[in-house]
Amino acid sequence: MNPLGLIVLPVIGAAAAAFGPARWAKWTAFVASLAVFALSVVVAVQFPEWRTGNYWPNTNEGGALKAFGVSLLLGGDSVNMLLLLLTTFMMPLTLAGSFTAVTEREREYYGWFMLLEAALMLAFLSRDLILFYVGYEFTLVPMYFLISIWGGQQRRAAAIKFFIFTFMGSIFTLAAAIYVAARAADANGAWDFSIAGLTRFGSESLSNREQFWVFLGLMAGFAIKTPVFPVHTWLPLAHDQAPTGGSVILAAVLLKLGTYGVYRLALPMAPAGAVETATFFGVLGVLAILATAMICWVQTDAKKLIAYSSVSHMGFVVMGLFAFNPIGMQGSVMYMVCHGLSTGALFLCIGMMYERFHTKEMDAMSGLARHMPIWSTFMVIFTLASVGLPGLNGFVGEFLCLMGTFVAEHDQPAGYPGVMGPWFAVVAGVGLILGAMYLLLLLGKIVWGPLKVPGAHDDPHEHAHGDKGHGGLPRDLSFREIAILVPIAAACIGIGVYPKIMLDVTEPSAANALVAFPEKVNAWNAAHGKTAPAKVALQTEEVSR
Amino acid sequence: MSAAVSVAERIGALVPEMIVFGGSVVVSVTGLSPKRSVRAATPFLSVLTLVAALVALTKGWGGSTTAGLLLPGVGPFARGLILLMGVGGAALAAGLVDRRYEEAVARGAAAFDPIRVVRGEFFAFMLLSICGALLIPGSPDLIWLFLALELTSLPTYIMVAMSRGTRRAQEASVKYFFLGALSTAILVYGFALIYGSTGSLQLTEIRAAFAQQSAMGGIDAIGTIGLLLVTIALCFKLAAAPMHFYAPDVYEGAAAPVTGLLSFLPKMAGFSALLLVVDAAGWGGLANAGNGLPPALQATLWMVTVLTMTLGNVGALLQRSAKRMLAYSSIAHSGYMLMAIVAGPELGLPALLFYLLAYGVTNNAIFGALSGIERNGQEVEKVEDLAGLARRHPGAATWLAVGSASLMGMPPFLGFWAKLVLFIAVV
């Protein structure tokens, strides 16, 4: 079976939603996104090759587009498939979450959303660098329009800032990738942009100095997308101004494009550069965790608080990636998925609150547990998942990222030496406490305490209809809204209780990504006066790429 | 002189150009017709002429002798591209000139007076300019090249003034004319020096002479200076630094369809001519390191490229007017395309030709959208004038968005692939 269907189906959905009757636009898009989800599940079940670290479909045939070394090479290993499933899972829920929130220009809204899904599918399924880049970059276009048309007061500024930041960064990414491809073309005599080939060439044949610059170039784009601490400034504004659906997809999936790029491209393609800069990015990761946690602490806007918490959480992912051991790598993949679920759900919850009260100010409300018990229950579940309470999904990823960092020392006998070590983990661990503090502060302010409902006094609507809120919505969650949140909550609890299902499948992929690392790390440590481990017992499995 | 190709054969290869020239004569007459329907048919006749020329080109009527020409492979592609873009330009310009006057005549508010209409001349000049551009890629010698370049440029000066009845258009036209005359003078001086150095006007012989000089220790000073002068003069046609100053004013002054034509036709002509000149100077040969050009020319091209890209992009950022911004963007794109020349012919030539195609198509889309908006009675001056366009003109807004994204190099649009191929060539 050809995975092309996963890309074509959303495009058809987009066309149907954009050019069909306006009344049906939302249903068209919803049904299309459900169909994409069903297709992705069928693919995941029917073709289990991806779980073993192999690529599915296991072919190197380029397809029709073979000019200039660009080929239509699609497929994925476990990491691709997990992120793909996350996308297809969140997409129908996000669309359903927009049914009452978006009432203007519905056809365009749902059309752009389905186009966004198509771009994401392309990015996560491409095994060709240029094709990946096409998908990666094209996500900007629908997102730009989603923010600038259906966003808040400063939507234009937010959309432009979002676009320019990410576009600028990714130009460096493309330049670095083309450099590697050009060197490979010199060596092989023909252009080829397949990710596997470029990865092998980059890690084996480029000098350390070249790898350093290639790595920085690739990271320029991915770090902005992730976002890594000092270049995160586009994110709070974009999140704050985007419509609820846009925020959800931005947090749940779009940010993962950055970390996926690091995982799939930057690290394996330029391992020496990664090792060289690991302490730098490690420090940035710690800074992101701590500094943004404190920024969250002073927010008065609930949505902004969650937006900043994303930056803080992505700091853990960055640390896990730069630990250079399977624990950290698997932890970061785990955390990508878990953050997508819990933060996406938090944005949905805040959106539902906003639809009722038309404010996101935390000071304007309190004690909503009495007013909206169902909403409050979900809010508590997702906040705790985001905090990292054991038994919920956030804990597993966070713990693994920290553990990976902790054991990333130069004298690890386990076979994967690193350059960070306990100190990084200990300082980042403080972030766990800060995270609990600001997220519980959010809960304490709006869920607990004396009941205060915004607009309860000056809004006759509220009195006249008793249980009805704004926009014909019931006071507490409607059946539709509950149906949106239940699957996410189930996924959060399921992964939290039994993370093994994900850890098993990501292990071979992580080992693949780390093939070149122990040697480079030992060389770097030796050059910096640290001894290599006495005995290097590599545990790499024989897996074909 | 080794005139291996007879004049008859040379002329036989020019059927498309002759069709376009004939069309320009016909069009200049129909534009003056007292019958309104005939006058209204003028733009259609222009389009028809260009389509006929395109058919003649693809069918190869009259044969296509390539003996004695440099870069014979470029000719058919470049001419086809010029004709295609010409079709777009002529179609966009339909209904542009004399619009108010024609409406007045139709209402009966004014009597028809052949002295007052300029539509025929406008389209005749457009076809003449296209005819000039068509002649460039197949130039066998410097005289031909010079005349073809002038035939491309001269009508455009007048078209700028004619396109809008405003003073600004006339000011732009005068500026354009004087700076164009300056560049022509530099060009001719450069040609004269090249002739002095090589003793021939035939491009093939010039190439042989330059190759000989390179083998003997480098092209002599007179020849080098000649090449540099020609390059700088052609920068005017490309709107490349340091000869780019006219572009923003002229683009702003002219009506959108003319601006669209101006941003493509002279650039296409300039690049066709520049390709011939650098090829004569040993482009891609082994005489010199890098792309084979003499070191002085290489250094100049580098500087021009970098300056053009930087000035174009930075300048575009500072603009408030949509057309001025597009002018600077067009300058920057010239810089990108010049990179392909610096890169050498092996990958650079296909990359350049593909980029020209992508640029031309995209530009036509953008200026088509702007023309559509202008035709509806709105002047597009500032960028703010375009605010809320998606509501007023959804179609134009879509074209503008797609065109801008393509110019930006946003995947998966055409501009991205053009840039990608170009970067691959440069790396």
Side-chain angles (χ1 to χ4, degrees):
Chain A
M1 193 192 141
N2 198 320
L4 198 59
L6 281 168
I7 301 164
V8 174
L9 197 53
V11 174
I12 297 173
F19 300 111
R23 277 182 305 147
W24 296 348
K26 56 185 174 187
W27 292 107
T28 316
F30 180 67
V31 169
S33 65
L34 270 186
V36 177
F37 177 56
L39 186 63
S40 66
V41 170
V42 167
V43 162
V45 172
Q46 239 185 344
F47 301 94
E49 295 97 319
W50 56 272
R51 288 185 212 172
T52 56
N54 287 326
Y55 273 95
W56 163 85
N58 200 0
T59 165
N60 285 316
E61 283 304 309
L65 245 170
K66 200 61 188 152
F68 292 106
V70 180
S71 52
L72 191 60
L73 198 56
L74 299 175
D77 74 349
S78 50
V79 175
N80 300 59
M81 289 306 269
L82 286 176
L83 292 173
L84 187 95
L85 286 170
L86 173 71
T87 313
T88 55
F89 175 71
M90 290 302 284
M91 196 54 86
L93 302 176
T94 312
L95 290 177
S98 308
F99 276 8
T100 49
V102 174
T103 50
E104 269 186 11
R105 301 166 77 174
E106 288 182 47
R107 292 192 295 183
E108 289 165 66
Y109 181 85
Y110 292 101
W112 282 125
F113 244 102
M114 293 312 290
L115 218 51
L116 181 61
E117 182 169 27
L120 286 165
M121 296 285 107
L122 181 62
F124 285 138
L125 276 172
S126 294
R127 293 175 60 192
D128 182 281
L129 209 152
I130 295 299
L131 230 50
F132 164 77
Y133 185 80
V134 169
Y136 176 88
E137 275 294 87
F138 192 71
T139 54
L140 293 185
V141 178
M143 204 60 212
Y144 172 83
F145 285 109
L146 285 173
I147 296 177
S148 72
I149 297 178
W150 294 273
Q153 292 286 314
Q154 298 163 276
R155 55 184 183 272
R156 289 195 202 290
I160 290 172
K161 194 170 180 184
F162 160 76
F163 193 97
I164 292 188
F165 256 74
T166 30
F167 190 72
M168 200 178 68
S170 52
I171 288 173
F172 290 99
T173 303
L174 183 65
I178 289 183
Y179 177 77
V180 178
R183 290 295 316 273
D186 279 348
N188 304 334
W191 286 84
D192 186 15
F193 279 100
S194 86
I195 291 178
L198 289 186
T199 304
R200 207 175 308 118
F201 178 84
S203 60
E204 287 168 8
S205 308
L206 291 182
S207 72
N208 283 3
R209 193 179 163 73
E210 283 175 307
Q211 290 196 21
F212 176 74
W213 288 108
V214 165
F215 187 76
L216 283 189
L218 291 171
M219 283 304 285
F222 297 143
I224 288 175
K225 196 88 174 183
T226 302
V228 174
F229 174 58
V231 287
H232 68 282
T233 52
W234 62 269
L235 179 128
L237 190 62
H239 263 315
D240 188 39
Q241 295 301 318
T244 300
S247 297
V248 175
I249 283 302
L250 188 59
V253 192
L254 254 66
L255 302 188
K256 308 308 177 290
L257 280 174
T259 44
Y260 168 75
V262 180
Y263 182 96
R264 175 68 72 227
L265 297 171
L267 290 181
M269 205 178 282
V275 174
E276 189 78 24
T277 53
T279 35
F280 173 67
F281 281 105
V283 169
L284 288 186
V286 173
L287 266 179
I289 296 169
L290 297 184
T292 30
M294 289 182 219
I295 296 174
C296 287
W297 180 252
V298 298
Q299 294 303 314
T300 58
D301 182 307
K303 206 173 175 189
K304 267 200 170 152
L305 189 149
I306 307 217
Y308 275 111
S309 84
S310 275
V311 183
S312 183
H313 287 155
M314 294 318 268
F316 285 104
V317 179
V318 171
M319 298 201 64
L321 286 171
F322 282 88
F324 305 141
N325 52 35
I327 307 174
M329 285 295 231
Q330 284 177 270
S332 63
V333 174
M334 191 81 194
Y335 207 42
M336 286 182 218
V337 176
C338 296
H339 174 265
L341 294 170
S342 54
T343 307
L346 275 177
F347 275 120
L348 278 171
C349 282
I350 297 292
M352 292 169 185
M353 182 192 85
Y354 181 75
E355 273 187 77
R356 285 169 174 76
F357 304 134
H358 294 282
T359 177
K360 296 171 291 186
E361 282 298 314
M362 289 194 282
D363 292 334
M365 61 194 90
S366 71
L368 294 184
R370 263 174 250 191
H371 192 66
M372 304 166 65
I374 309 176
W375 178 82
S376 302
T377 312
F378 281 112
M379 190 72 192
V380 171
I381 292 176
F382 295 127
T383 311
L384 290 180
S386 195
V387 167
L389 189 78
L392 291 167
N393 61 351
F395 170 73
V396 190
E398 224 163 56
F399 179 74
L400 285 176
C401 285
L402 281 180
M403 191 166 124
T405 314
F406 193 91
V407 301
E409 282 188 290
H410 59 95
D411 53 355
Q412 264 306 311
Y416 284 100
V419 295
M420 291 208 273
W423 277 111
F424 282 86
V426 168
V427 180
V430 177
L432 284 179
I433 304 169
L434 289 174
M437 277 163 65
Y438 66 75
L439 282 166
L440 293 178
L441 173 83
L442 168 76
L443 279 191
K445 270 193 177 165
I446 62 177
V447 175
W448 317 121
L451 177 62
K452 184 164 112 188
V453 180
H457 294 294
D458 49 0
D459 188 5
H461 191 110
E462 187 77 17
H463 292 290
H465 294 282
D467 269 353
K468 291 277 183 186
H470 287 279
L473 288 165
R475 193 179 70 185
D476 207 342
L477 297 190
S478 66
F479 175 74
R480 173 183 60 88
E481 289 166 322
I482 295 171
I484 293 167
L485 294 177
V486 163
I488 309 181
C492 283
I493 295 169
I495 296 174
V497 174
Y498 195 67
K500 196 168 174 301
I501 40 169
M502 275 178 61
L503 293 179
D504 280 351
V505 299
T506 50
E507 197 177 343
S509 170
N512 270 344
L514 288 169
V515 171
F517 272 92
E519 188 197 335
K520 302 275 185 199
V521 174
N522 281 335
W524 190 84
N525 279 332
H528 287 73
K530 294 182 198 162
T531 49
K535 179 168 162 282
V536 178
L538 280 181
Q539 293 179 330
T540 45
E541 293 171 38
E542 277 305 311
V543 274
S544 67
R545 297 225 275 189
Chain B
M1 265 195 209
S2 59
V5 186
S6 73
V7 175
E9 272 179 282
R10 198 66 96 203
I11 287 182
L14 296 181
V15 172
E17 283 83 351
M18 286 192 284
I19 293 176
V20 174
F21 181 76
S24 80
V25 175
V26 173
V27 157
S28 66
V29 175
T30 59
L32 291 172
S33 163
K35 272 199 179 150
R36 199 167 153 266
S37 57
V38 178
R39 291 204 302 279
T42 307
F44 298 102
L45 276 176
S46 319
V47 171
L48 209 62
T49 307
L50 291 167
V51 172
L54 201 57
V55 171
L57 182 72
T58 47
K59 296 274 181 198
W61 288 344
S64 53
T65 174
T66 54
L69 299 185
L70 295 184
L71 296 170
V74 175
F77 178 86
R79 287 155 85 195
L81 186 56
I82 292 166
L83 285 171
L84 265 181
M85 294 303 130
V87 170
L92 288 180
L96 168 76
V97 190
D98 293 341
R99 186 176 186 79
R100 292 248 173 79
Y101 181 66
E102 287 286 354
E103 278 169 2
V105 172
R107 275 200 314 273
F112 176 72
D113 178 4
I115 299 292
R116 288 189 60 185
V117 290
V118 288
R119 176 176 292 178
E121 289 141 62
F122 179 83
F123 283 99
F125 281 133
M126 183 182 268
L127 290 180
L128 277 180
S129 179
I130 290 170
C131 183
L134 288 176
L135 285 167
I136 293 173
S139 310
D141 57 47
L142 291 179
I143 302 286
W144 182 312
L145 185 58
F146 171 72
L147 289 177
L149 276 170
E150 283 315 288
L151 187 55
T152 315
S153 304
L154 280 173
T156 55
Y157 305 140
I158 308 165
M159 279 159 62
V160 171
M162 258 184 207
S163 67
R164 291 208 290 194
T166 60
R167 288 216 160 172
R168 193 173 238 171
Q170 288 167 11
E171 179 195 329
S173 165
V174 172
K175 272 184 193 164
Y176 193 28
F177 173 71
F178 277 113
L179 289 169
L182 174 71
S183 87
T184 304
I186 299 175
L187 186 77
V188 179
Y189 194 43
F191 280 172
L193 290 180
I194 290 176
Y195 177 69
S197 168
T198 60
S200 172
L201 287 171
Q202 295 284 324
L203 282 166
T204 44
E205 287 174 14
I206 291 173
R207 180 166 63 178
F210 274 147
Q212 206 177 3
Q213 290 185 11
S214 296
M216 306 278 286
I219 295 176
D220 62 15
I222 294 178
T224 308
I225 294 173
L227 284 172
L228 291 184
L229 287 178
V230 170
T231 307
I232 297 293
L234 287 176
C235 282
F236 176 83
K237 302 271 185 289
L238 311 179
M243 306 286 277
H244 67 285
F245 292 103
Y246 73 94
D249 287 342
V250 174
Y251 279 37
E252 197 183 16
V258 178
T259 317
L261 203 70
L262 281 185
S263 66
F264 178 74
L265 204 56
K267 221 184 268 291
M268 184 77 213
F271 271 109
S272 309
L274 190 59
L275 281 175
L276 293 179
V277 172
V278 291
D279 197 51
W283 197 38
L286 301 170
N288 294 292
N291 52 24
L293 293 175
L297 191 54
Q298 263 188 45
T300 311
L301 279 174
W302 261 117
M303 278 187 281
V304 167
T305 308
V306 173
L307 261 181
T308 308
M309 283 191 286
T310 316
L311 287 176
N313 282 325
V314 173
L317 282 178
L318 302 175
Q319 299 309 315
R320 285 276 162 274
S321 148
K323 276 190 198 156
R324 286 183 85 87
M325 193 182 75
L326 284 169
Y328 277 104
S329 138
S330 140
I331 293 170
H333 282 282
S334 284
Y336 297 136
M337 289 187 259
L338 279 165
M339 281 205 303
I341 293 199
V342 176
E346 192 196 349
L347 287 167
L349 187 57
L352 172 64
L353 294 179
F354 183 50
Y355 203 104
L356 277 168
L357 168 75
Y359 175 78
V361 171
T362 310
N363 240 25
N364 246 7
I366 287 191
F367 283 103
L370 290 182
S371 320
I373 301 160
E374 278 189 359
R375 188 144 50 229
N376 286 341
Q378 282 163 339
E379 289 293 300
V380 182
E381 289 291 333
K382 300 206 178 81
V383 177
E384 286 86 57
D385 292 346
L386 294 172
L389 190 66
R391 271 172 207 279
R392 284 181 283 134
H393 305 291
T398 312
W399 275 121
L400 210 56
V402 170
S404 312
S406 177
L407 272 189
M408 210 189 317
M410 187 85 202
F413 300 110
L414 192 56
F416 167 72
W417 300 103
K419 276 210 174 85
L420 182 69
V421 172
L422 190 76
F423 284 143
I424 287 177
V426 173
V427 173

